[in-house]
């Protein structure tokens, strides 16, 4: 079994969920992908995640997901922890991808509550237990009811954390702050609780959270990482100031479905070609104009090109 205590110690802070960059023809741009990873590490990001919601996993083939994980692991080269998303709506696919993540050398796997199927709590328990039992890899469950249509109940999570020692944490993209408080009450204060809601990144630290997995880190990685750094150093005022400073950016980056606004913003910054695979697409021109107007307050834009 992996050294779970060591994993718990190092898997803290800003775990950036990096986008999957595409070329104009829709193929994955691995060169830009590597550049993004290097930029994040140099910007102070504490860990890297790929093929989570922000990485458009539903638009990737299983083979592409494995290749993205391999390239990411090689590029990271153990400079920071690596936490790929391995979940799917398909149980066997989730098992396969989680095992691949372990073979590649990931530090943990982020496994989403299956989407579309709307499984019962009993079925969710069986799904996650079988995945966890199949690997020695630490598992972080990803609860995002707004996109899966299913909320993983605290009682189910607590039972999983008790029965599966390698289930060490949860990413809660859950706006119910009572729910996330009860996660630590029922799973234990050493259970790793990450915010997946941008406006809850700072508040979750205040209740004992381990950090955040925030899409906004794609645009301003250093500031998102600094929220955690300031909190850890005891500079509560700085953490609070960053929380409010980033709020307008957080708001505009969710004017359309993630990661469409992120890719538009990164395109404006000259870091990627703002391309998504259908059925996703870049935001409307009106939303892009809003993004650009807000983005100017946070980064220097090299040009005023509108995403196609």
């Amino acid at each position: 079994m992996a050294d779970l205590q060591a994993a718990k110690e190092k898997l803290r802070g800003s775990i950036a969920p990096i986008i999957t960059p595409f070329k104009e023809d829709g193929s994955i741009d691995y060169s830009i992908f590597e550049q993004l990873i290097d930029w994040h590490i140099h910007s102070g990001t504490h860990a890297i995640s790929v093929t989570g919601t922000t990485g458009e996993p539903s638009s990737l083939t299983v083979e592409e997901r494995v290749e993205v994980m391999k390239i990411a692991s090689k590029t990271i080269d153990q400079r920071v922890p690596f936490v790929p998303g391995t979940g799917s709506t398909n149980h066997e696919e989730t098992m396969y991808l989680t095992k691949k993540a372990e073979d590649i050398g990931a530090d943990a796997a982020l496994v989403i509550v299956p989407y579309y199927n709307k499984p019962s709590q009993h079925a969710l328990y069986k799904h996650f237990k079988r995945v966890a039992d199949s690997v020695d890899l630490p598992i972080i469950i990803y609860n995002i009811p707004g996109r899966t249509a299913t909320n993983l109940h605290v009682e189910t999570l607590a039972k999983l954390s008790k029965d599966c020692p390698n289930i060490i944490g949860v990413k809660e993209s859950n706006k119910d702050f009572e729910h996330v408080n009860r996660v630590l009450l029922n799973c234990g204060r050493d259970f790793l609780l990450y915010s997946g809601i941008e406006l809850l990144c700072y508040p979750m630290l205040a209740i004992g959270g381990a950090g955040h997995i925030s899409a906004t880190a794609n645009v301003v990685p250093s500031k998102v990482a600094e929220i955690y750094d300031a909190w850890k150093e005891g500079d509560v005022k700085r953490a609070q100031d960053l929380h409010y400073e980033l709020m307008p950016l957080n708001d505009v980056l969710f004017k359309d479905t993630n990661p469409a606004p992120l890719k538009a913003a990164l395109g404006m910054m000259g870091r990627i070609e703002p391309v998504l695979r259908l059925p996703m697409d870049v935001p409307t021109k009106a939303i892009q104009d809003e993004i650009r107007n807000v983005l100017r307050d946070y980064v220097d834009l090299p040009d005023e090109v509108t995403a196609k």
Side-chain angles (χ1 to χ4, degrees):
M1 179 64 71
D3 188 339
L4 299 178
Q5 190 54 45
K8 285 185 174 184
E9 289 301 318
K10 71 179 181 179
L11 291 170
R12 294 177 179 271
S14 173
I15 303 177
I18 295 182
I19 59 107
T20 303
F22 299 126
K23 300 177 182 179
E24 288 284 1
D25 64 3
S27 62
I28 299 173
D29 193 329
Y30 288 109
S31 176
I32 293 296
F33 183 58
E34 292 169 357
Q35 292 175 32
L36 290 173
I37 289 172
D38 285 338
W39 175 50
H40 273 274
I41 294 173
H42 294 148
S43 298
T45 288
H46 303 105
I48 298 290
S49 182
V50 300
T51 61
T53 303
T54 305
E56 296 175 77
S58 297
S59 297
L60 303 177
T61 66
V62 172
E63 292 76 18
E64 284 176 327
R65 289 183 67 169
V66 172
E67 186 64 15
V68 166
M69 287 194 291
K70 286 180 178 178
I71 297 294
S73 180
K74 182 179 179 181
T75 306
I76 293 166
D77 194 25
Q78 300 183 340
R79 289 178 289 172
V80 297
F82 176 42
V83 187
T86 60
S88 164
T89 192
N90 181 289
H91 176 73
E92 293 301 328
E93 189 174 289
T94 300
M95 295 274 286
Y96 173 78
L97 288 168
T98 305
K99 180 61 179 170
K100 282 293 184 182
E102 181 177 45
D103 293 344
I104 289 166
D107 295 279
L110 182 67
V111 186
I112 195 169
V113 170
Y115 38 92
Y116 183 75
N117 293 331
K118 298 183 70 174
S120 67
Q121 296 300 305
H122 171 69
L124 286 172
Y125 173 85
K126 291 178 69 174
H127 168 71
F128 283 115
K129 186 174 190 306
R130 186 160 180 250
V131 172
D133 288 348
S134 71
V135 293
D136 286 336
L137 192 65
I139 301 294
I140 299 167
I141 291 176
Y142 179 13
N143 189 30
I144 179 168
R147 293 186 77 142
T148 64
T150 302
N151 184 39
L152 181 67
H153 294 175
V154 172
E155 295 78 11
T156 308
L157 182 60
K159 182 171 173 53
L160 283 164
S161 69
K162 178 182 177 182
D163 295 347
C164 306
N166 60 326
I167 294 180
I168 63 170
V170 63
K171 174 186 177 181
E172 283 284 358
S173 294
N174 196 323
K175 294 183 178 180
D176 183 349
F177 203 58
E178 288 189 19
H179 171 103
V180 298
N181 275 269
R182 296 186 188 282
V183 167
L184 292 182
L185 177 67
N186 288 273
C187 297
R189 299 276 291 278
D190 65 337
F191 196 68
L192 301 181
L193 173 66
Y194 305 94
S195 175
I197 298 288
E198 276 59 29
L199 295 191
L200 295 184
C201 289
Y202 168 73
M204 278 206 200
L205 293 174
I207 65 169
H212 32 267
I213 306 176
S214 167
T216 302
N218 280 274
V219 176
V220 284
S222 60
K223 287 188 179 292
V224 174
E226 192 183 351
I227 294 175
Y228 179 82
D229 290 335
W231 175 262
K232 185 179 179 182
E233 293 164 7
D235 192 345
V236 175
K237 183 178 185 306
R238 178 59 181 157
Q240 289 177 339
D241 287 347
L242 284 162
H243 169 72
Y244 288 105
E245 178 186 334
L246 290 176
M247 196 175 292
L249 182 61
N250 289 329
D251 287 344
V252 81
L253 289 178
F254 285 85
K255 286 279 186 176
D256 194 351
T257 303
N258 182 44
L262 284 181
K263 285 197 161 182
L266 287 167
M268 295 169 197
M269 294 164 64
R271 292 201 173 269
I272 67 167
E273 289 291 333
V275 177
L276 293 90
R277 287 179 176 175
L278 293 171
M280 300 291 286
D281 197 8
V282 292
T284 64
K285 183 180 183 303
I287 292 178
Q288 288 184 49
D289 289 343
E290 286 188 64
I291 293 169
R292 184 179 295 101
N293 288 336
V294 173
L295 195 58
R296 288 193 189 106
D297 293 333
Y298 296 88
V299 299
D300 294 325
L301 300 182
D303 53 45
E304 294 294 317
V305 175
T306 299
K308 295 179 181 177

